Amino acid sequence: MFKIVKKRFLNDAKTICLFEIEAPLVAKHAQAGQFVIFRLDEQGERTPVSVAGWDREKGTVTVMVQNAGHSTAMLHTVEEGDYITDFVGPLGKATEMEGLKKVAVVGGGVGCAIAYPIAKEMHERGIEVDMIAGFRSKDFVILEDEMKAASTNLIMGTDDGSYARKAFTTELLKEQLEAGVKYDRVIAIGPGLMMKFLAEVTRPYGIPTIVSLNPIMVDGTGMCGCCRVMVGGETKFACVDGPDFDAHQVDFDLLIKRGAFYNDFEQEANKHICKMTGGTRSNG
Amino acid sequence: MANMRKDKNPMPEQDPVIRAQNFDEVALGYTAEMAIDEAQRCLNCKNPLCRTGCPVQVRIPEFIAKVAEGDFDSAYEIITSTNSLPAVCGRVCPQEKQCEGQCIRGKNGESVGIGRLERFVADYHMSKENLPDPEVPASNGHKVAIVGSGPSSLTCAGDLRKLGYDVTVYEAFHKPGGVLVYGIPQFRLPKEIVAQEIDNLKKIGVEIVTDAVIGKAMTIDELFDDFGYEAVFVGSGAGLPQFLNCPGENLMGVYSANEFLTRVNLMKAYRDDYDTPIKHPKNVVVVGGGNVAMDASRVAKRLGAEHVYIVYRRGKEELPARLEEVEHAVPEGIEFTLLNNPVQILGDENDQVIGMEVQKMELGEPDEKGRRRPVPVPDSNWVIDCDAVIIAIGTRPNPLILSTTEGLVATKKGGIEADENGQTSREGVFAGGDAVTGAATVILAMGAGKTGAKAIDEYIKSKA
C-alpha cells in the first residue's frame, strides 16, 4: 500500500491534481522523463503516469494526474492520508540531456506536468531553457510559477486567449524559430496532435526534436507490447524503448488511433462512477 | 495385488458446451474413490523410472502407495518434501513427457495418472479446514534475493527457505506467480490455487515484495551492496513477446498473447467488477500452435467469440501444444486452420482489423529437429474474416536484467548465460527457468529453480 502524503489541484478547473506519494523504492532512482504505474485497488487497472518530481530523502514521488479516464477520475477522489494499492517504477528511460546548451521545452495542457520536471532538471544543470506552455483556457493553467522558476524564459499561450496570449504552442515555437533563436533540441510533450504539428514546425529547421509518448500500457516492463509505436518504420515498445522518441520519425496518426482504442469503455465506465461516494467502491 | 486395468481413471470434466462459456476450471479432479482406485494401478517398481522423469524428483511411488492406502496426509508430506507447488504441477505439467512418459504401465496400456493423483493430494490438503501453520525453519542468518516470482523463483525460494536462508522474492507485477498468474488461464489453473501455494511459502517465512522492478527500482549490484544479500537468483522469465513482423501488425485489434492473456488472467478484464478493459471480438485469429495459442483461443471463446481460428503453418502432428490442450480446445469449438501461414493483417479505413490474409502450406522435408518443414503452396492465398488477431508465436527472455547488470553474458537467444547449476558469469548471481532457456514449461523452470537453490546453498557454504 502506498500513502498519499499530499494532494492538491493545480488549476481552477480541477482537471489536474498533484499527488505526493510515499514510495521509497521509486524515489531512489526516479529521473525526469520516466513514468510509474499506479493501481487504485484490487479491481483497478494499471495506469501509467509520468514522474513529476521526487524527494529521495523523504522517499516520496510526485505525480500530476489529469482526470482523463475512469481510473484517473477515481484517483482524483482519493484524499490525503489515504492509500492506493500499487505504485511501481521508475519505468522507461530518462530524458537525455547530455551536452545540451539551449533547449526549448514545450508542454501542452497536462503535458506541462511532464515537461516541467524536464525543464527543471535541465535548468539546474545549467542548460538554457525556453519553456513554452499552452493551455485550453485560463482555468486550465498549471504550474505557472514553477515553470517560470525552472526556465530562462516562460512563453505562455491559451487556445481562447483568456490568459496570456491567444496562441497554440506551435505558433509560439514558430515565432521563436523565425526570430532566429537557435535551439540544439526541442522537447515536446502534449496531446498527440500537438506533438505531430510541432514536429512539422521544427522539421524544416532540422532541429532534433524529442517527444514523450503515452500510449496505452499494461505491464510497463516490455512484456505485453500493447504500447507499441512506429518510429522510423520500426515497431518500438514505448515502455522500455521510450517513452522519448525522435519526433520526426514517429507515426503520430497510429499513436492517436491506438490511444483511442478503449474510449468506448472509458465513457461507459465513467457513467458508473458512484455519485454518492464520488468513485470509491462500496467494498473498498 | 495391483489393479491391472489398462486405462487411467478418466478425469471428470465440465461439459465442453457449458465450459466454453465460463472461466471455471475445466478438469474437476478425482474423488477420493477414484484416486485410491487409480493409485492401486501403480506397480510400485523397485527401480521407479517415473522419478527419473521428474525435474523436481517427487518421490512418486511412495506418495502413490500412501494414496492407495487412503492416507492422503502422508502422501502430501511426501510430495511437498521435494515439490513446493504440487497443486500447480498436478494441473499444468506435461506429465506425458515427464513422469508418466516413463511409467512402465504405459508400455501396455495407459500410464498411471500420476499428475491427477498429485493434484488430488494437493487439493485434498488445501480443502482441509483449520490446518495448523507449518513449522517455520530457523534462520541460518544468510540472505538470498530472488528476482521474479514465477515457477523457477518460487521453487528456489521454497527450497532455500527450508534450508534456513532468509529469502526475499522481488516481483515487478502487483501479484506474485509470474506466468502462473498472468499467462495460464483461470479455467486451467485457478488463481486461488496459485495464491494458496504462494501463501504456503509465505507461511514458512519466504518474504515477497511486489511492485519491485529489479533493474529499475534497484539494480542487482544494490541488492548485494545496499541490502546485504549474499546471492541472487534471477528467474525473470521469458516475457518479451515476439511479433510476426508482417504488414498490419499494429492495427487496432492485434494483440500479443501476453497482452490478451494478462488483461484477462491477471487483470481479470473478463469480470464486470474489474476496471481493465478488453474487447469482445466476434471472430478471432490466433497465430501459433503451442500451449499459449490454445490458452488464448479458449479465452477468446469464453469472451463470447463466435469463431476462433488457430492459424498454424504446419499440421496437426506438428502442433507443439500438449495433446491434452488440443483435445480440450476442439470440443469447445476452436477451429484449427492448419497448414496456413499469415501473410498480412487487413484493416478498414479506421485501421480496425477486418481480416487476415494467409497462404496455404504443405509439408516438405524434415528440418534439423526432424519436424517436416512447411512449404508455401503457390497462388493459394485466401482471407479469414476476423476482427481480432492474437499473436502467440513465442516469447523471448526479458532483457531488463541483462541490460542493467554488469558482468552478465547474453545467450544467442537473448537469455542469461548460466551453466547446468545455474551459475552465471558473475559470482553470486544464479539464473534459471525461461530467463535462461527461453520459453519452456513450468516444470522445467521449477527444476532449474531447484538446481539453483542447491548451487546457492553450496556457494554460500563455500564462502563461510
Side-chain angles (χ1 to χ4, degrees):
Chain A
M1 299 294 273
F2 298 83
K3 188 178 183 181
I4 295 178
V5 294
K6 195 157 106 191
K7 173 192 180 183
R8 80 182 157 92
F9 284 98
L10 294 174
N11 56 13
D12 293 339
K14 293 201 166 187
T15 52
I16 300 171
C17 190
L18 174 150
F19 296 89
E20 187 181 343
I21 294 171
E22 229 169 56
L25 267 188
V26 186
K28 196 170 174 200
H29 290 298
Q31 294 177 74
Q34 291 188 296
F35 65 96
V36 295
I37 283 183
F38 77 87
R39 205 173 67 116
L40 276 176
D41 58 15
E42 196 44 44
Q43 289 88 4
E45 63 181 321
R46 294 172 66 91
T47 311
V49 289
S50 295
V51 166
W54 53 86
D55 185 326
R56 304 212 202 280
E57 255 103 81
K58 267 169 75 187
T60 61
V61 174
T62 302
V63 292
M64 300 175 186
V65 183
Q66 178 167 255
N67 59 348
H70 180 68
S71 294
T72 47
M74 296 264 284
L75 180 66
H76 274 209
T77 69
V78 179
E79 298 301 336
E80 244 173 56
D82 288 349
Y83 290 79
I84 55 173
T85 304
D86 299 286
F87 192 80
V88 57
L91 301 168
K93 292 179 178 164
T95 300
E96 282 177 27
M97 304 178 184
E98 220 38 54
L100 296 176
K101 301 226 159 38
K102 184 165 173 135
V103 175
V105 179
V106 186
V110 73
C112 291
I114 307 159
Y116 158 67
I118 295 171
K120 181 171 171 240
E121 177 76 20
M122 288 184 168
H123 193 64
E124 281 169 10
R125 291 195 194 184
I127 299 166
E128 198 180 336
V129 177
D130 280 355
M131 175 87 213
I132 297 173
F135 298 95
R136 208 187 310 171
S137 69
K138 183 170 184 287
D139 286 354
F140 292 85
V141 173
I142 59 168
L143 301 171
E144 186 178 359
D145 294 340
E146 289 88 342
M147 290 190 292
K148 203 174 272 171
S151 58
T152 317
N153 298 300
L154 172 63
I155 306 162
M156 258 176 63
T158 49
D159 298 356
D160 63 358
S162 56
Y163 191 68
R165 291 185 43 202
K166 181 180 189 312
F168 293 122
T169 53
T170 40
E171 298 168 279
L172 296 170
L173 178 64
K174 203 170 179 183
E175 283 174 15
Q176 293 294 105
L177 299 179
E178 282 172 353
V181 181
K182 302 272 186 239
Y183 296 112
D184 41 34
R185 189 166 299 173
V186 170
I187 295 176
I189 304 115
L193 267 183
M194 182 201 98
M195 293 192 286
K196 178 182 173 178
F197 290 124
L198 267 169
E200 294 318 310
V201 171
T202 61
R203 198 188 298 273
Y205 292 88
I207 306 169
T209 303
I210 300 295
V211 284
S212 176
L213 305 183
N214 57 344
I216 300 171
M217 294 183 183
V218 182
D219 66 293
T221 60
M223 211 202 75
C224 78
C226 178
C227 67
R228 56 199 192 275
V229 290
M230 289 289 277
V231 183
E234 273 182 58
T235 296
K236 298 279 183 191
F237 290 0
C239 67
V240 285
D241 300 324
D244 289 2
F245 291 101
D246 178 353
H248 297 143
Q249 304 276 326
V250 170
D251 181 341
F252 285 104
D253 294 335
L254 180 75
L255 176 84
I256 293 164
K257 276 185 184 157
R258 287 188 64 87
F261 190 58
Y262 291 106
N263 277 4
D264 47 345
F265 280 82
E266 289 293 348
Q267 281 163 11
E268 185 61 26
N270 276 335
K271 279 191 214 156
H272 297 290
I273 289 183
C274 177
K275 292 208 171 73
M276 283 178 74
T277 62
T280 314
R281 283 180 240 270
S282 54
N283 60 351
Chain B
M1 181 62 201
N3 172 351
M4 293 309 289
R5 209 185 49 250
K6 286 194 175 176
D7 301 337
K8 277 184 209 178
N9 276 277
M11 177 61 109
E13 285 172 359
Q14 271 200 76
D15 179 84
V17 177
I18 293 168
R19 74 183 191 231
Q21 298 168 49
N22 68 47
F23 279 84
D24 298 338
E25 196 170 11
V26 168
L28 302 171
Y30 279 169
T31 61
E33 292 72 32
M34 287 177 197
I36 291 170
D37 185 67
E38 183 63 28
Q40 286 168 348
R41 293 186 61 231
C42 177
L43 301 179
N44 209 347
C45 305
K46 267 203 184 118
N47 185 14
L49 293 174
C50 50
R51 269 202 85 178
T52 64
C54 177
V56 297
Q57 294 108 39
V58 169
R59 291 149 56 197
I60 294 165
E62 289 176 62
F63 99 74
I64 291 181
K66 291 294 175 191
V67 176
E69 290 168 19
D71 181 0
F72 307 137
D73 291 313
S74 300
Y76 182 78
E77 269 174 42
I78 292 167
I79 294 173
T80 49
S81 70
T82 66
N83 183 358
S84 297
L85 309 169
V88 172
C89 290
R91 286 172 166 81
V92 302
C93 272
Q95 288 100 6
E96 67 281 2
K97 283 188 192 154
Q98 314 281 354
C99 51
E100 293 182 21
Q102 304 288 329
C103 175
I104 202 83
R105 293 294 308 260
K107 304 261 187 257
N108 181 18
E110 285 188 320
S111 66
V112 175
I114 301 169
R116 294 170 184 180
L117 289 172
E118 184 179 31
R119 170 186 162 158
F120 167 79
V121 171
D123 288 1
Y124 166 82
H125 179 81
M126 282 184 181
S127 69
K128 286 175 70 169
E129 283 172 22
N130 305 321
L131 280 173
D133 279 347
E135 210 171 298
V136 180
S139 167
N140 65 8
H142 296 284
K143 287 172 69 177
V144 179
I146 295 186
V147 180
S149 68
S152 70
S153 295
L154 293 176
T155 302
C156 188
D159 280 19
L160 285 171
R161 186 70 272 278
K162 285 172 192 166
L163 291 169
Y165 291 92
D166 294 328
V167 180
T168 314
V169 175
Y170 291 97
E171 166 56 43
F173 267 131
H174 53 269
K175 253 194 186 63
V179 73
L180 306 176
V181 294
Y182 76 72
I184 303 177
Q186 179 78 7
F187 54 81
R188 204 148 76 76
L189 178 64
K191 301 311 140 209
E192 301 74 18
I193 300 264
V194 181
Q196 274 202 54
E197 296 271 42
I198 291 170
D199 266 349
N200 288 339
L201 289 172
K202 287 186 190 163
K203 279 182 190 157
I204 61 166
V206 172
E207 196 190 337
I208 297 181
V209 181
T210 52
D211 290 330
V213 185
I214 302 301
K216 286 286 180 187
M218 282 176 281
T219 61
I220 298 240
D221 288 278
E222 286 173 310
L223 291 174
F224 285 112
D225 301 341
D226 300 352
F227 291 83
Y229 293 106
E230 293 169 65
V232 175
F233 178 84
V234 182
S236 49
L240 188 71
Q242 286 183 274
F243 285 90
L244 293 162
N245 296 317
C246 77
E249 208 156 32
N250 293 329
L251 292 168
M252 310 311 117
V254 183
Y255 304 82
S256 73
N258 264 6
E259 181 192 345
F260 188 72
L261 291 172
T262 300
R263 282 182 181 275
V264 174
N265 300 337
L266 177 72
M267 306 310 298
K268 305 207 185 300
Y270 68 95
R271 284 172 52 165
D272 282 347
D273 52 339
Y274 281 71
D275 288 343
T276 299
I278 187 99
K279 301 262 173 173
H280 294 253
K282 265 193 173 162
N283 298 300
V284 182
V285 165
V286 177
V287 182
N291 289 330
V292 175
M294 300 305 132
D295 285 346
S297 65
R298 296 169 72 197
V299 166
K301 193 77 189 175
R302 282 159 172 78
L303 288 177
E306 288 167 19
H307 295 281
V308 182
Y309 308 96
I310 297 257
V311 168
Y312 179 59
R313 62 198 178 126
R314 303 182 204 239
K316 189 169 183 219
E317 296 300 309
E318 289 78 25
L319 281 170
R322 284 182 75 189
L323 186 60
E324 182 180 311
E325 301 309 321
V326 178
E327 284 175 349
H328 276 148
V330 171
E332 289 175 14
I334 307 301
E335 295 161 61
F336 285 76
T337 313
L338 304 175
L339 288 165
N340 277 283
N341 200 36
V343 176
Q344 63 170 327
I345 303 166
L346 309 167
D348 65 10
E349 67 280 6
N350 297 318
D351 284 344
Q352 162 63 48
V353 172
I354 51 168
M356 175 179 262
E357 181 184 333
V358 296
Q359 182 175 27
K360 289 188 176 160
M361 310 293 275
E362 56 192 13
L363 290 177
E365 295 301 307
D367 62 14
E368 60 277 7
K369 284 182 183 162
R371 287 200 304 180
R372 292 182 67 192
R373 203 186 298 271
V375 182
V377 178
D379 303 321
S380 65
N381 290 21
W382 60 290
V383 171
I384 306 173
D385 290 337
C386 63
D387 51 349
V389 172
I390 301 167
I391 313 290
I393 56 167
T395 54
R396 285 167 169 261
N398 193 317
L400 193 59
I401 296 294
L402 273 170
S403 65
T404 55
T405 313
E406 296 267 343
L408 290 182
V409 177
T411 65
K412 262 186 247 160
K413 286 181 175 173
I416 298 169
E417 199 168 275
D419 69 12
E420 68 280 6
N421 296 317
Q423 170 69 58
T424 68
S425 50
R426 208 177 135 169
E427 193 191 329
V429 180
F430 298 77
D434 287 4
V436 171
T437 58
T441 62
V442 167
I443 190 63
L444 288 175
M446 289 176 62
K450 205 167 191 58
T451 308
K454 190 164 168 270
I456 288 171
D457 180 45
E458 283 163 9
Y459 165 73
I460 291 179
K461 278 183 181 150
S462 75
K463 283 204 317 171

